[in-house]
Amino acid sequence: VELDGSIADAHCILGVIYKGAEEIHAAAEAFQRATIADENYIEAYYELGDVLLIHLGDTAQATQVLQKAVAIDTDHARARTLLGIAYFRDNLTDAAINELQHAIKLNPTSQIARYTLGTAFLQQEAWQVAIDTFKKLIEIEPFHAKAHFSLGTAYRRMGETEAAQKSLQRFEVLSIEEEQLTHLKRFVRQNATDAEAWYRLGRIQLKRQLWHEATQSLERYITLAPQETRGYEALGYVHFQQQNYKQAAAMYQKVIQQKPNVATY
């Protein structure tokens, strides 16, 4: 960009690098320069809007940028999602709902769009619509703790005490698991040879169906504790769930070698 400031892609990619390095103000400037180099560069507008809204908290400026993005491409689901979030933060609830519903039509699996939409319905005291929205989100992501909490809140406002209690209890369980995940990830970074910590981390990741992360954690555990059958058993289950049947069979064969008299294996 020093050699040629008109290359919009270079500015935009530089912004992505700054953003990844958490140099947020530098990222915003780079994305801004990308939009100047190409006034129809949709991704640059989206990235600039994301930095302004999520990282810098400048809702007013983010709204203007995201409105420009949506004007360029009305079917840009992520831009519409961010614009809906910006409207919601400004208490423009009807506008937020409209944007978020449009975003979900474009991308039905967007978790943040569905969660914010449900929260907007809660603000409007549209309890049943909020319940339906959060239930759909939980179908997509069963481990979304905030969705369970908000669902419980909506049920409670509807007077459905039993359903509310069930959702709030699920929220508590997931919150504890998230705290454990955060703690264990930090712990193994500092204590990479602690086999028990790797096993506990892998088990929680397995429980949450984070198959790739669970595989890595359990492989580390097996390396550190090759004599323990529980590592092979857990990793075999992870491989089975991913339909990696050869790897799963290899893990269970290792268990059988150490425990040949257990019919289950």
Side-chain angles (χ1 to χ4, degrees):
V1 296
E2 288 180 2
L3 293 171
D4 186 351
S6 68
I7 304 175
D9 279 341
H11 287 294
C12 191
I13 295 170
L14 186 58
V16 172
I17 296 169
Y18 281 135
K19 184 179 174 183
E22 298 184 357
E23 297 182 32
I24 303 303
H25 290 283
E29 183 178 350
F31 293 132
Q32 181 70 49
R33 290 182 182 277
T35 63
I36 294 170
D38 181 355
E39 62 181 13
N40 293 313
Y41 197 165
I42 180 67
E43 286 302 319
Y45 282 105
Y46 166 76
E47 292 289 356
L48 179 57
D50 178 71
V51 167
L52 291 169
L53 180 66
I54 305 301
H55 299 276
L56 297 177
D58 189 341
T59 306
Q61 193 173 348
T63 299
Q64 292 179 358
V65 170
L66 292 165
Q67 286 173 337
K68 175 69 174 177
V70 170
I72 295 170
D73 182 359
T74 58
D75 291 335
H76 197 287
R78 289 173 296 145
R80 281 197 172 273
T81 297
L82 282 181
L83 184 56
I85 294 171
Y87 284 146
F88 180 72
R89 289 186 179 182
D90 271 345
N91 292 317
L92 301 172
T93 310
D94 289 333
I97 289 172
N98 181 63
E99 286 298 330
L100 293 165
Q101 286 177 329
H102 196 119
I104 289 168
K105 287 180 182 178
L106 296 168
N107 180 16
T109 63
S110 174
Q111 295 179 30
I112 189 170
R114 287 191 184 276
Y115 178 73
T116 310
L117 178 61
T119 306
F121 284 135
L122 280 182
Q123 193 173 78
Q124 289 191 331
E125 300 185 358
W127 311 124
Q128 188 57 57
V129 186
I131 287 170
D132 294 340
T133 304
F134 290 125
K135 286 173 71 174
K136 185 63 179 179
L137 172 55
I138 290 168
E139 287 178 17
I140 297 169
E141 176 47 76
F143 305 102
H144 197 299
K146 290 182 179 179
H148 285 281
F149 177 82
S150 297
L151 179 60
T153 300
Y155 275 133
R156 187 171 58 192
R157 296 302 295 269
M158 289 276 286
E160 299 184 27
T161 308
E162 186 175 342
Q165 186 176 7
K166 182 178 179 181
S167 294
L168 293 172
Q169 286 174 342
R170 182 61 176 156
F171 162 73
E172 290 178 7
V173 170
L174 293 174
S175 296
I176 291 169
E177 286 181 357
E178 287 176 359
E179 290 178 5
Q180 291 174 333
L181 277 173
T182 301
H183 169 73
L184 286 167
K185 285 178 182 178
R186 186 183 303 116
F187 183 83
V188 295
R189 280 198 299 269
Q190 300 171 353
N191 303 272
T193 59
D194 191 306
E196 181 64 25
W198 282 110
Y199 178 75
R200 289 173 57 200
L201 178 59
R203 289 293 303 185
I204 296 174
Q205 290 166 335
L206 180 157
K207 187 177 180 181
R208 286 182 157 245
Q209 299 177 14
L210 300 170
W211 306 124
H212 179 70
E213 292 89 338
T215 298
Q216 292 180 323
S217 298
L218 292 168
E219 284 178 346
R220 290 294 297 272
Y221 172 71
I222 287 171
T223 301
L224 293 167
Q227 74 284 357
E228 296 289 340
T229 57
R230 64 180 184 174
Y232 300 112
E233 182 180 357
L235 188 54
Y237 178 82
V238 172
H239 282 309
F240 184 82
Q241 291 299 317
Q242 295 180 96
Q243 300 182 2
N244 299 329
Y245 298 124
K246 288 183 179 180
Q247 294 92 323
M251 292 299 104
Y252 287 124
Q253 285 169 352
K254 288 181 179 292
V255 178
I256 289 170
Q257 287 174 6
Q258 297 189 39
K259 294 186 177 180
N261 297 321
V262 180
T264 301
Y265 299 135

